[in-house]
Amino acid sequence: MCGRYSLAGPNPSEVRERFALGPEIEVRRRWNVAPQDDVVAVTTTREGVPRGDVLRWGLVPFWAKDPAVGDKTINARAETVAEKPAYRDAFRSRRCLVIADGFYEWKPAARPKARKQPFHITRDDSAPFAFAGLWSTWHGPDAAVLRTCTIVTTTANDAIADIHPRMPVILPPEAEAAWLDPGTPEPVLHELLAPYPAGRTAFRAVGFAVGDARHDAPDCLEPPADEERTDAAADQGTLFG
């Protein structure tokens, strides 16, 4: 699963330009984006035109009786996204890009009861990218409106499978338009939900600060201190065949 990610690059204007977000969308550095946070995204208008957007992470289907369902829908599995009631409608007509520059996964330590080692995983060039996402609008009592999203996950590539068996779908730039396009055939959409190439994946161990979902600061990306280092922390890489 993907339960934390980052958008921490030193130049937010690069993200704004890369995804044509528009001046009304605030882009600020985030080191530890967590479920139920507001996230920067790209959705489409009813006419299918891309637009910058801000959504809450944790999809609430339009038919849900209680928005608390969003606590359990931060990820949608690529293998079942077209079938699960929570996601199938959004998969057909409300796909989005969730903007990031890295994500976190936790690798179990070799020693029993030792803490899991967090890793920060990025593209090999550290450039910002888009997760494949789905979004929905929920209308509650008293005219409340909640716009939410989920991140689609798939099988991990060979570079990080030893850390975690799954990874979020990172779309290559040339696939972003097809993912957003309401006219893209379903078989093509499924082809897009593939693991990011192992040879273009980088990862490194980080300290335990990222484990606190309320903590969003630069130290989330710092290497583990000596007392935090587990056996897994020795594993890190940039290029894989």
Side-chain angles (χ1 to χ4, degrees):
M1 65 175 293
C2 173
R4 288 312 156 64
Y5 70 88
S6 63
L7 186 56
N11 188 4
S13 63
E14 177 186 0
V15 176
R16 185 182 303 282
E17 181 177 356
R18 162 75 171 78
F19 293 99
L21 294 174
E24 71 280 4
I25 304 299
E26 180 185 10
V27 181
R28 60 187 180 91
R29 299 181 71 183
R30 297 292 311 276
W31 293 269
N32 192 11
V33 182
Q36 302 307 315
D37 283 354
D38 287 341
V39 302
V40 178
V42 177
T43 59
T44 54
T45 66
R46 292 187 178 183
E47 294 74 30
V49 178
R51 63 183 177 189
D53 216 331
V54 176
L55 306 169
R56 182 173 297 179
W57 186 14
L59 189 138
V60 180
F62 69 89
W63 44 259
K65 295 182 179 180
D66 188 339
V69 69
D71 293 335
K72 301 178 181 179
T73 52
I74 64 170
N75 293 150
R77 294 176 67 94
E79 297 86 344
T80 57
V81 68
E83 306 163 6
K84 292 287 186 180
Y87 308 120
R88 62 191 179 195
D89 183 73
F91 178 67
R92 294 189 188 103
S93 59
R94 289 188 298 279
R95 297 181 295 276
C96 67
L97 309 178
V98 179
I99 312 306
D101 61 13
F103 66 97
Y104 298 95
E105 290 293 0
W106 279 256
K107 181 179 180 178
R111 292 175 288 109
K113 299 184 179 180
R115 295 181 70 174
K116 292 183 178 181
Q117 178 66 58
F119 283 83
H120 188 237
I121 302 164
T122 66
R123 288 175 33 143
D124 62 343
D125 59 4
S126 300
F129 56 77
F131 294 129
L134 311 175
W135 68 284
S136 183
T137 301
W138 180 81
H139 295 272
D142 302 322
V145 178
L146 187 60
R147 292 160 56 78
T148 60
C149 66
T150 188
I151 295 171
V152 184
T153 67
T154 187
T155 304
N157 64 32
D158 290 343
I160 62 171
D162 190 46
I163 298 174
H164 195 277
R166 296 191 67 79
M167 68 182 300
V169 174
I170 297 175
L171 294 169
E174 62 272 17
E176 292 167 3
W179 179 252
L180 289 174
D181 187 346
T184 300
E186 185 170 317
V188 176
L189 295 175
H190 285 291
E191 291 176 3
L192 298 179
L193 299 178
Y196 195 70
R200 297 191 59 190
T201 303
F203 63 93
R204 63 184 180 87
V206 295
F208 294 147
V210 69
D212 183 350
R214 299 165 297 179
H215 184 72
D216 185 17
D219 60 343
C220 290
L221 291 178
E222 291 180 358
D226 289 343
E227 65 271 17
E228 296 177 320
R229 189 172 293 273
T230 70
D231 296 339
D235 296 331
Q236 56 184 358
T238 54
L239 296 176
F240 297 82

